[in-house]
Amino acid sequence: MRILGMRGLAIAAGLALASLGGVAGQAAPASQAAATAPETGAAGAAPQAAAGPAGVSNTAPTSAAAPATANPSSPALAEDGGYAMAPTPGVGQPTPGTVGLQPQVTKNGVFAHWMHNAILMPTITAVSLLVLALLFWVVFRYRRAANPVPSKTSHNTVIEIIWTLAPVIILVLIAVPSIGLLSAQFKPAPAGAVTIKAIGNQWYWTYQYPDNGGFEVTANMLKEAKDVGAGERARTDADGPRLLATDNRIVLPVGVPIRLITTANDVIHSWAVPAFWIKLDAIPGRLNETSFTIDKPGLYFGQCSELCGARHAFMPIAVQAVSPAQFAAWVRAKGGSMPTPGQASDKVIPQPGADGSAAKVEEAAETANATGPVENVTTAAPATTQGATSNPAGAGNAGL
């Protein structure tokens, strides 16, 4: 009986342990699923989780304040997040067989177009016809057959007054609107303007949007089908005219002031778009600035207008002007963000090669990756002031 009693106790203990193991085995997957559920939800909410087509940049900052990205499968989005838009013949591009300026889509351009047609051309035409008529009259009136004895007149007060006052009046007629146009071209951009920085390189353009997260767009000319290599995309008529189509168009909003800042990394370039009445030199080590507002949506082309080397003729510019809502969606699709409406830009825009520039930041990151973390470094020495100079220096470094 005692043996049977001990055997019963052992069997009962084994059954109890087996039941506890089964419960623990069922609880473990449940706890693992509970632990992984928040990660799955967080990944699903993150902008990076959205699958996008090849070539579409859909990366946004991973933070609670990260903006919602545009739907990468939206039919409004073309490659690289840009909006699908085909060029319009005769608008924003040169047209064979035409005479005159391109249709203007900025206020300065419209004024310059009017000045060209209403003031400059009539004045130039009138002066040229007057000089030509005087030449014909002098040749006919004072030829030897008609005037065998030349006049000895040395002065004519009326004629001298006319040929002095007439050029002055003509120059004033041209100068007054010219000075106004020149002043308007370099008027500072108001608060809430969209800042775009165009950087000239040999031989392509790089664009930065400092107020929209600082993302960067690089634009190269699209080659013709007979010139492309393996894996390269050839130009089509939907991209734009030959020598003017780019692989990446820059996008700007319509009806919003644009602050254009130009500089260069190597030699002097010039950012020129005739339909905007813009031609601004891009000079290494210098920031040039102008502002304009695009009045009509469309696709507008330009190119470098400063001799910059062997491939100077292959630095096209393609600007896609869209509504502010479409521009905001494009910015978010590029991983950027929209600033507070109406506020002036507070972003520091360094020159190429200066501290804080993209090249310097990238160089510092590469150096840090190559050398690795610095050991035995705790906190920086407290800053002190060097007497009357007020130059900050580390503690113990005064006088260095």
Side-chain angles (χ1 to χ4, degrees):
M1 293 293 293
R2 182 175 298 178
I3 294 175
L4 291 175
M6 293 297 293
R7 183 177 299 174
L9 289 174
I11 294 173
L15 292 174
L17 290 175
S19 63
L20 290 175
V23 172
Q26 294 175 0
S31 61
Q32 292 176 2
T36 57
E39 297 177 358
T40 305
Q48 289 87 342
V56 175
S57 176
N58 193 34
T59 304
T62 306
S63 64
T69 59
N71 181 7
S73 62
S74 171
L77 293 178
E79 59 180 342
D80 201 24
Y83 276 81
M85 180 181 293
T88 303
V91 177
Q93 58 182 301
T95 304
T98 60
V99 177
L101 303 174
Q102 292 185 18
Q104 299 297 305
V105 293
T106 64
K107 290 182 174 58
N108 289 340
V110 171
F111 179 76
H113 199 209
W114 168 84
M115 178 181 170
H116 176 271
N117 293 340
I119 296 180
L120 293 181
M121 288 303 297
T123 302
I124 293 171
T125 303
V127 171
S128 300
L129 292 177
L130 175 62
V131 172
L132 184 63
L134 289 174
L135 286 174
F136 277 117
W137 183 74
V138 168
V139 169
F140 177 78
R141 173 64 180 80
Y142 296 103
R143 69 188 191 280
R144 177 179 294 183
N147 188 40
V149 180
S151 172
K152 296 183 179 181
T153 302
S154 59
H155 292 283
N156 189 308
T157 303
V158 176
I159 293 179
E160 290 179 357
I161 292 176
I162 291 175
W163 75 36
T164 300
L165 291 182
V168 172
I169 295 173
I170 293 173
L171 291 177
V172 170
L173 180 68
I174 297 174
V176 171
S178 296
I179 294 174
L181 177 61
L182 186 64
S183 176
Q185 285 179 312
F186 294 96
K187 183 179 180 180
V194 173
T195 303
I196 180 172
K197 182 180 179 182
I199 304 173
N201 308 275
Q202 289 181 313
W203 287 271
Y204 60 94
W205 290 98
T206 301
Y207 301 95
Q208 297 175 355
Y209 287 77
D211 294 338
N212 302 102
F215 65 89
E216 191 171 280
V217 177
T218 299
N220 290 277
M221 186 190 74
L222 284 175
K223 300 177 183 178
E224 298 301 299
K226 61 183 179 63
D227 300 324
V228 298
E232 294 182 339
R233 186 170 73 87
R235 181 195 69 87
T236 64
D237 291 338
D239 294 313
R242 176 179 172 270
L243 300 180
L244 291 179
T246 61
D247 54 356
N248 286 316
R249 302 171 182 172
I250 58 170
V251 179
L252 293 175
V254 172
V256 178
I258 307 297
R259 178 188 292 107
L260 172 66
I261 297 175
T262 61
T263 188
N265 280 324
D266 33 52
V267 299
I268 299 177
H269 302 273
S270 184
W271 199 88
V273 178
F276 297 165
W277 200 258
I278 292 292
K279 182 182 182 295
L280 191 64
D281 283 351
I283 303 174
R286 174 171 178 159
L287 298 178
N288 286 338
E289 179 178 336
T290 188
S291 64
F292 59 95
T293 302
I294 307 173
D295 295 332
K296 298 178 181 178
L299 188 57
Y300 306 99
F301 296 94
Q303 59 186 160
C304 177
S305 296
E306 191 73 45
L307 293 176
C308 58
R311 295 187 59 82
H312 155 69
F314 307 105
M315 286 184 63
I317 301 165
V319 180
Q320 193 164 304
V322 298
S323 67
Q326 290 178 332
F327 173 73
W330 178 81
V331 167
R332 295 188 182 101
K334 300 294 288 182
S337 58
M338 296 300 294
T340 303
Q343 287 191 358
S345 174
D346 60 351
K347 300 298 185 295
V348 177
I349 304 176
Q351 299 177 2
D355 293 339
S357 65
K360 285 292 185 180
V361 172
E362 183 178 354
E363 180 181 348
E366 291 178 354
T367 302
N369 291 334
T371 59
V374 179
E375 298 180 358
N376 300 327
V377 175
T378 55
T379 57
T384 61
T385 303
Q386 298 182 14
T389 63
S390 297
N391 292 329
N397 293 331
L400 296 181

